[in-house]
Amino acid sequence: MTEIADWRPGLRLLRAALRGTRAPALRVAAWSAVEAAPALASGWVLGRALDQGFLDGRPATGLAWLALLGVLYALRAAAERAVFEPLSHIVEPLRDELVRRLVHGTLYAAVHRVRAADAKDVARLTGQVDAVRGIVGALLRTARPLAVTLVAALTGLAVLDPLLAALVGVPLAVAVVIFLVSMRTVIRRRQSHLAAEERVAAVTGEVLAAGRDITALGAEERAASDVEDAADASVATALAVARASAVRTPVVLLGGQLPVLLILLTGPALVQRGGVSAGAVVGAVMYVTVYLVPALELMTGSVAGYWSQLRVLSGRLAAASDAPDDPVPVPAPGVVAEAPREGDLEVRNLTFAYGPHAAPVLRGLDLVVPSGDHLAIVGPSGIGKSTLAGLLAGVETPLKGTVTMAGQPVRPGRVALLPQEAYVFPGTVGDNLRYLAPDLDTAALDRAVAAVGARELVARLGGYDAEVPDPAGTLSSGERQLIALARVYASPARVVVLDEATSHLDMAAEAVAETGFAARPGTLVVIAHRLTTAARARRVLLLDGERPVLGSHAELSATSPAYAALVGHWTAQAPRSPQVPQGARAGRP
């Protein structure tokens, strides 16, 4: 059975998110007091209208009292209209602050490997934050007037007649206690339902991300079954919430309808004995039927649902947004925070899988990449080359084993990873090239540009100060790769992992870029997609199922049938026409 999570972290989150809304909250409180005027005075005024007016033969006096009641209702209508403006100044800043905290906590957790990011984070950001915003707004519109109405009506009833107030108050108190106890079950079941909804998002995200592999393996029925099972569990938990919420009917009968029955049964006798006036009996019935019963129905219905949802959702968001207020600065993805110390990149007993029930992509891998090495990683498509690149750079978390550099666990930022899809942001050419080394001088920038063969491209764009407002529209894929290569070359990273980062370059341009990186101080790891890339490396790691092989290109060609077959495949796929000269615009058709 799911335990009710501690509600205090969620409460602290809401308090922190509402900080700074004191002024609109005070305005809401002031208008709420005006709204409560009819609930406080209506039964008492009606009793006076009957006892001192209509029943006493003075209809004008009775009408005067009713006119006063009409004025109170007019004031209530004005207050209800006026309260919406300060409510908006509470709810909208709440949403903005929750989004800020959730994004901050999610990014912190992903970068510092506190937990893995998945589709549930998107569900929290898009669905749960907006749900909390809507629930808080709904509670301020319903629970706020509900609370003031209950307090005002009970106060007015006590002033009208203490005996009648006792007849109402005892069953009402018992009903409220029963309702509060039952809320534990409702909250527990709502937690299970929310977890089931997050499971639907997570499973669906995993299936969509692995769509090509699922099709290749013929596992469509298994994938569909996983999604259906998650959806069925979500439906079952929703039904459980509905069943637990059904307690509202007996609570309303006990706390609202029973007091009316007691007043009507005992009222005539009390009036005959002279202890209670007829106007007081009618006024008490008005307090109960007009205010207490609707308030009780609202409390056990909408407000209970909102409150239980808010407790569960705020707790989830609090856990997801948990991060230090002033964390250690972490660079953007790919940014090198500081150059790692000289040392080897070591992989020990590395195992990785893309899910708890998936077959490992890598299993028990041991590898040492000495400082200054030039390693090419090769293997058939889908064997885990890019996965290993991510693990070496610290952007993926192994299921088992370690990846260390200079004896310390590899973290994002200590190794520069350049993927196939190169990112160039709108701005100047120089800003893009200096992104990982903001203080780089022009001479060092010139060396980086020349080393990767991007000098002609930079000149064509207009130099380092030239603006590139639309990189995706004005630069080809190969040109964006050249800029990204120069950016990483100019960075202070001592270890660089190129994950098919030259795939859009022609072979001549690729040779220039890889030769430049090979001559650069530090360690170079390249995910090879061409024979020439493997041949240029000092060592080659062949990923071939559970038996990886390490050696030079010549050694593997002579001793490894799998590597020889891969080389034969590359040779068969090599273009027969002459290649574009290195100076051409790389990657542009």
Side-chain angles (χ1 to χ4, degrees):
M1 180 178 294
T2 304
E3 294 295 330
I4 297 180
D6 188 359
W7 58 273
R8 287 171 294 184
L11 180 60
R12 287 194 295 268
L13 174 65
L14 292 177
R15 284 178 175 173
L18 289 170
R19 192 175 294 126
T21 60
R22 181 177 180 181
L26 290 175
R27 292 169 59 193
V28 168
W31 286 117
S32 298
V34 178
E35 281 186 84
L40 176 65
S42 59
W44 184 85
V45 170
L46 180 60
R48 290 295 181 272
L50 290 173
D51 292 336
Q52 299 178 7
F54 300 112
L55 296 179
D56 197 33
R58 295 185 293 174
T61 302
L63 291 174
W65 280 110
L66 294 181
L68 174 60
L69 189 59
V71 172
L72 294 179
Y73 276 109
L75 288 175
R76 174 183 171 180
E80 289 176 343
R81 178 185 179 87
V83 82
F84 278 93
E85 191 267 337
L87 282 180
S88 67
H89 291 295
I90 295 175
V91 174
E92 296 307 322
L94 168 70
R95 180 190 183 278
D96 295 342
E97 181 64 15
L98 287 177
V99 169
R100 187 193 70 79
R101 288 175 175 268
L102 183 59
V103 170
H104 173 68
T106 301
L107 291 178
Y108 178 87
V111 171
H112 290 273
R113 321 311 296 169
V114 175
R115 65 176 183 276
D118 56 28
K120 290 185 289 187
D121 295 313
V122 179
R124 293 187 185 102
L125 183 59
T126 58
Q128 295 179 17
V129 168
D130 279 336
V132 168
R133 169 189 173 274
I135 290 170
V136 171
L139 283 173
L140 289 174
R141 294 191 307 270
T142 57
R144 174 192 53 80
L146 166 66
V148 298
T149 296
L150 280 174
V151 173
L154 289 173
T155 302
L157 182 57
V159 172
L160 177 65
D161 192 279
L163 179 59
L164 295 176
L167 289 176
V168 173
V170 173
L172 178 62
V174 174
V176 170
V177 170
I178 293 174
F179 168 70
L180 293 178
V181 172
S182 69
M183 280 296 293
R184 291 183 57 85
T185 301
V186 175
I187 293 172
R188 183 165 52 244
R189 293 186 179 181
R190 285 196 182 278
Q191 285 178 330
S192 299
H193 178 54
L194 187 60
E197 286 185 322
E198 290 183 350
R199 176 63 180 163
V200 171
V203 172
T204 304
E206 291 172 358
V207 169
L208 292 176
R212 295 177 60 185
D213 294 335
I214 291 171
T215 302
L217 296 172
E220 293 92 341
E221 292 186 4
R222 171 65 183 275
S225 177
D226 290 344
V227 175
E228 289 174 359
D229 289 345
D232 290 343
S234 178
V235 172
T237 57
L239 292 175
V241 171
R243 288 192 293 269
S245 301
V247 72
R248 67 185 299 262
T249 300
V251 167
V252 173
L253 290 175
L254 176 62
Q257 304 301 335
L258 180 60
V260 175
L261 182 61
L262 292 175
I263 292 174
L264 294 178
L265 290 176
T266 61
L270 294 175
V271 171
Q272 288 178 1
R273 293 176 182 177
V276 177
S277 68
V281 171
V282 175
V285 171
M286 181 181 185
Y287 274 127
V288 175
T289 57
V290 176
Y291 296 106
L292 294 185
V293 170
L296 197 58
E297 291 175 341
L298 192 62
M299 180 184 73
T300 57
S302 300
V303 173
Y306 290 147
W307 176 244
S308 61
Q309 291 180 59
L310 183 62
R311 282 190 57 171
V312 175
L313 286 170
S314 62
R316 289 279 185 178
L317 294 180
S321 59
D322 185 24
D325 292 332
D326 298 305
V328 177
V330 176
V335 177
V336 178
E338 60 180 0
R341 295 175 296 169
E342 296 287 343
D344 297 344
L345 191 62
E346 299 185 25
V347 175
R348 298 299 181 194
N349 193 31
L350 187 66
T351 299
F352 180 87
Y354 282 105
H357 305 295
V361 179
L362 300 169
R363 187 195 300 272
L365 177 64
D366 290 322
L367 175 68
V368 176
V369 185
S371 179
D373 196 11
H374 180 184
L375 175 69
I377 301 175
V378 303
S381 178
I383 200 65
K385 301 186 297 296
S386 293
T387 298
L388 180 55
L391 291 164
L392 293 177
V395 299
E396 295 283 3
T397 303
L399 185 64
K400 288 170 48 180
T402 60
V403 181
T404 59
M405 186 169 61
Q408 299 296 320
V410 169
R411 299 291 184 186
R414 298 193 70 192
V415 176
L417 171 64
L418 186 57
Q420 181 178 6
E421 297 302 323
Y423 179 70
V424 177
F425 56 82
T428 68
V429 175
D431 289 341
N432 271 279
L433 295 177
R434 290 189 177 94
Y435 184 63
L436 304 183
D439 299 327
L440 202 67
D441 58 36
T442 302
L445 207 57
D446 289 339
R447 289 192 294 272
V449 169
V452 302
R455 182 180 293 167
E456 181 180 330
L457 172 61
V458 172
R460 182 181 68 79
L461 293 175
Y464 299 136
D465 294 329
E467 291 284 340
V468 186
D470 181 20
T474 59
L475 298 177
S476 71
S477 298
E479 288 168 338
R480 293 197 297 274
Q481 282 191 335
L482 276 178
I483 291 177
L485 286 164
R487 174 196 299 155
V488 173
Y489 187 99
S491 76
R494 298 290 298 175
V495 179
V496 172
V497 180
L498 303 181
D499 184 5
E500 300 196 17
T502 60
S503 59
H504 295 295
L505 302 182
D506 59 74
M507 293 181 68
E510 179 185 66
V512 171
E514 289 184 0
T515 301
F517 270 97
R520 178 182 181 272
T523 303
L524 176 64
V525 179
V526 184
I527 306 301
H529 62 285
R530 289 173 180 157
L531 172 62
T532 51
T533 297
R536 280 190 290 266
R538 190 178 74 83
R539 296 191 305 161
V540 178
L541 173 66
L542 170 64
L543 296 180
D544 184 21
E546 296 186 3
R547 296 184 177 181
V549 183
L550 181 66
S552 68
H553 170 66
E555 291 170 346
L556 295 184
S557 298
T559 61
S560 173
Y563 187 74
L566 184 61
V567 169
H569 172 74
W570 276 336
T571 303
Q573 295 294 322
R576 298 178 181 276
S577 58
Q579 295 303 305
V580 180
Q582 180 269 330
R585 293 167 63 187
R588 185 171 291 280

